[in-house]
Amino acid sequence: QSQLVEPGGGLVQPGGSLRLSCAASGFTYYFIGWFRQAPGKAREGVSCISPTGGSTNYASSVKGRFTISRDNAKNTVYLQMNSLKPEDTAVYYCAARGLYCSDRPGSYNYWGQGTQVTVSS
């Protein structure tokens, strides 16, 4: 059964690092995106990776701080988050779609349940 599960998340101090995982069983040939949604705000695209990992996209707000990667042997997609800021606080979701990367949440067919990331001192 194909599913997306995001364990991890948590509380981290500003300037700290955190790595999110997305267990993506059954989605080896899919584009995987990371999204986030802060309270009272719309869900926004953070990053996306192609099935082979050879192509990645990042939102301008996280470029240079976040790195997306995937290990298809482990059916897992990662989001390494460095130099975290309070404005990175949100629920983070991974999602899958069969075509190209997109930053539009409505274009993704499959979603994980989300994990909370809080950046605070």
Side-chain angles (χ1 to χ4, degrees), residues 21-39:
S21 299
C22 173
S25 177
F27 293 100
T28 302
Y29 302 107
Y30 283 71
F31 290 78
I32 303 293
W34 281 99
F35 290 80
R36 66 186 182 186
Q37 188 166 19

Side-chain angles (χ1 to χ4, degrees), residues 7-109:
L11 173 65
V12 62
Q13 292 187 341
S17 298
L18 194 64
R19 188 176 78 162
L20 301 182
S21 299
C22 173
S25 177
F27 293 100
T28 302
Y29 302 107
Y30 283 71
F31 290 78
I32 303 293
W34 281 99
F35 290 80
R36 66 186 182 186
Q37 188 166 19
K41 295 189 176 181
R43 192 168 297 188
E44 64 173 353
V46 175
S47 185
C48 183
I49 190 167
S50 63
T52 64
S55 178
T56 57
N57 292 344
Y58 297 94
S60 58
S61 58
V62 306
K63 195 172 293 184
R65 300 188 298 122
F66 291 11
T67 302
I68 190 171
S69 62
R70 68 191 297 166
D71 184 340
N72 286 336
K74 296 182 178 180
N75 295 318
T76 303
V77 177
Y78 303 98
L79 185 68
Q80 177 67 44
M81 305 185 294
N82 298 329
S83 302
L84 282 161
K85 305 174 181 180
E87 51 264 43
D88 294 317
T89 296
V91 177
Y92 283 72
Y93 301 87
C94 63
R97 70 192 301 260
L99 298 175
Y100 49 85
C101 272
S102 171
D103 62 358
R104 294 187 300 111
S107 67
Y108 284 75
N109 307 104

